[in-house]
Amino acid sequence: MVKLQYSIAWAVKYILLGRKGLKAEDVHQKLGDIRRTVRITVKNFLFERKGTYCPKLWDSVFVDQFGNVFSCCFSRPGAVGNLYQNDMVTIWRRSLRLKFFRWMSLHKCLYCAHDCRLITEEEKSRPVRPQHLTNHPADVRILYGERCNLNCVMCWQDHHDKLTIDNAVVKNNVNWTEVENIELQGGEVLAMKEAKAFFLWLTQEKKKKVNLITNGMLINDRWAQYLVSGSQWVQISVNAASREIHERVNRGSKFTRVINNIKTLVRLKQEMASDVKIIYKYTIVPDNIHEVAEAITYADSLGCDRITFGYDDAVPEFLAAHGEVKSKIRDQLQRLGNAKLAIEIDPSRLIQLGLLDSHGKARGLGGGGVN
């Protein structure tokens, strides 16, 4: 029975993620997740009929360091192809898995929709028709590898893994002239020479704008100029509003260096008359949740254009057990409504956590408001 359970969990992981290997201690949890997902999906398909529409299936791909191609950065709903085996046009037009996931999306049975954090309930439920299928995805996101110079408390990646996707594969198997939005992430992109070389190839040779997610530690003067001139946006994962909390969450980081690098980006943006957006990223964990409101005003004071939030899986349970903390943060965010902030605030994850009412989007927080 144990071998059978392991085989089932292993097979599901391989079919959906295109990745082999599974720790024996993870089998029980994986099987529980599979049973729960099947139950919720079948119940919704037969009875509840809630929308499961996902626009990313028609315009986006996410490529991991193994070359596996997905529709979103959570590696969902499953691998639809591999760049080491086929080019992007072939995957986009001919993948049977991708066609099946699109059918599921339109027929209220896309399994990953019930707990998706990227698509709002309004988007999932809106009346849709099959979109016109282009020859190539417009948005391409690449997880270049997991190598990183930090060890953040919420990160599950193997920071010592040196594997990166082959530059020749992503250069030759993607038609970059058809791509409108490009995003590189890691690991830490600036800790991987292959990823940096690819960024320069896209921005300098292909004349593309390349967006970047970074922890901000390795942005020297030369790379600050590359980013300001070559990106539509740069997202810096600060995850705090103070040195103590930043260095507790982003283990191995130096708060002063990261903040100075953000200031450099803001200064260069002004000097170079660039329209790049400097984004202050805040992944909420129990250790930093009390600084959420403070981070908004701090990011605004630095001259950042936008602040966006994510959250660790432990946070909803933490808030459920600490109602007083949730109430305090809600009050702090409500008071920011009179602060006349210039920064744009992404409210989606705050709304999901119950820290901001959905009508807060209309009410707005200061001059930049929430979008």
Side-chain angles (χ1 to χ4, degrees), residues 234-242 255 259 262 278-282 295-296 298-300 302 304-309 343:
V234 180
Q235 183 170 284
I236 304 96
S237 299
V238 185
N239 305 324
S242 67
F255 183 67
I259 297 305
I262 291 176
I278 310 301
I279 303 174
Y280 195 106
K281 176 62 184 295
Y282 198 107
I296 294 174
Y298 186 57
D300 183 66
L302 292 174
C304 293
D305 300 286
R306 181 178 175 88
I307 183 168
T308 184
F309 296 91
I343 194 169

Side-chain angles (χ1 to χ4, degrees), residues 326-343:
K326 185 174 183 178
S327 296
K328 183 177 181 180
I329 297 171
R330 283 178 57 87
D331 290 342
Q332 291 173 337
L333 292 174
Q334 188 174 12
R335 287 197 296 271
L336 283 180
N338 298 319
K340 303 299 181 184
L341 302 177
I343 194 169

Side-chain angles (χ1 to χ4, degrees), residues 171-353:
K171 285 181 180 180
N172 298 327
N173 286 357
V174 177
N175 184 356
W176 292 105
T177 60
E178 298 288 333
V179 181
E180 298 175 7
N181 300 298
I182 306 169
E183 176 186 313
L184 299 185
Q185 58 179 269
E188 171 53 44
V189 172
L190 299 182
M192 294 179 275
K193 64 179 182 180
E194 303 89 346
K196 292 194 292 184
F198 185 64
F199 178 96
L200 295 177
W201 176 78
L202 279 173
T203 56
Q204 296 180 4
E205 293 190 33
K206 306 301 286 185
K207 307 302 180 184
K208 288 287 185 178
K209 292 287 187 177
V210 181
N211 304 317
L212 198 74
I213 299 175
T214 174
N215 59 46
M217 277 286 288
L218 303 178
I219 303 176
N220 56 29
D221 289 343
R222 181 162 59 96
W223 268 94
Q225 292 190 24
Y226 288 152
L227 294 174
V228 169
S229 62
S231 302
Q232 293 172 316
W233 55 259
V234 180
Q235 183 170 284
I236 304 96
S237 299
V238 185
N239 305 324
S242 67
R243 175 179 177 179
E244 176 188 358
I245 299 303
H246 172 83
E247 295 181 3
R248 183 190 303 173
V249 174
N250 290 20
R251 293 179 299 200
S253 184
K254 298 296 182 184
F255 183 67
T256 301
R257 181 188 299 179
V258 172
I259 297 305
N260 285 338
N261 289 341
I262 291 176
K263 292 178 178 178
T264 297
L265 292 173
V266 172
R267 174 177 56 80
L268 286 174
K269 174 183 175 176
Q270 296 172 346
E271 292 177 356
M272 300 169 66
S274 169
D275 59 359
V276 64
K277 301 294 184 184
I278 310 301
I279 303 174
Y280 195 106
K281 176 62 184 295
Y282 198 107
T283 299
I284 303 171
V285 297
D287 281 340
N288 69 8
I289 196 167
H290 61 285
E291 289 193 346
V292 166
E294 185 180 350
I296 294 174
T297 55
Y298 186 57
D300 183 66
S301 72
L302 292 174
C304 293
D305 300 286
R306 181 178 175 88
I307 183 168
T308 184
F309 296 91
Y311 60 87
D312 184 72
D313 289 340
V315 172
E317 184 177 348
F318 176 86
L319 288 173
H322 298 82
E324 73 286 355
V325 174
K326 185 174 183 178
S327 296
K328 183 177 181 180
I329 297 171
R330 283 178 57 87
D331 290 342
Q332 291 173 337
L333 292 174
Q334 188 174 12
R335 287 197 296 271
L336 283 180
N338 298 319
K340 303 299 181 184
L341 302 177
I343 194 169
E344 181 183 355
I345 304 164
D346 179 357
S348 56
R349 307 299 170 80
L350 300 177
I351 292 172
Q352 289 173 9
L353 290 172

Side-chain angles (χ1 to χ4, degrees), residues 40-55 57-58 98-114 123-131:
I40 292 172
T41 303
V42 171
K43 181 180 179 181
N44 186 69
F45 180 68
L46 294 178
F47 304 109
E48 296 179 348
R49 305 296 291 168
K50 294 179 180 178
T52 62
Y53 175 67
C54 176
L57 289 164
W58 279 269
L98 182 53
K99 291 178 181 179
F100 180 57
F101 291 143
R102 287 170 177 155
W103 182 91
M104 295 175 71
S105 173
L106 294 170
H107 291 82
K108 298 181 171 60
C109 55
L110 187 65
Y111 82 92
C112 52
H114 72 275
E123 289 173 317
K124 296 175 193 176
S125 301
R126 69 186 180 190
V128 295
R129 295 179 180 178
Q131 299 186 21

Side-chain angles (χ1 to χ4, degrees), residues 120 122 345 347 351 356-365 369-371:
T120 66
E122 182 181 1
I345 304 164
I351 292 172
L356 187 69
D357 295 330
S358 58
H359 60 270
K361 180 176 181 180
R363 183 174 63 243
L365 297 179
V370 281
N371 291 288

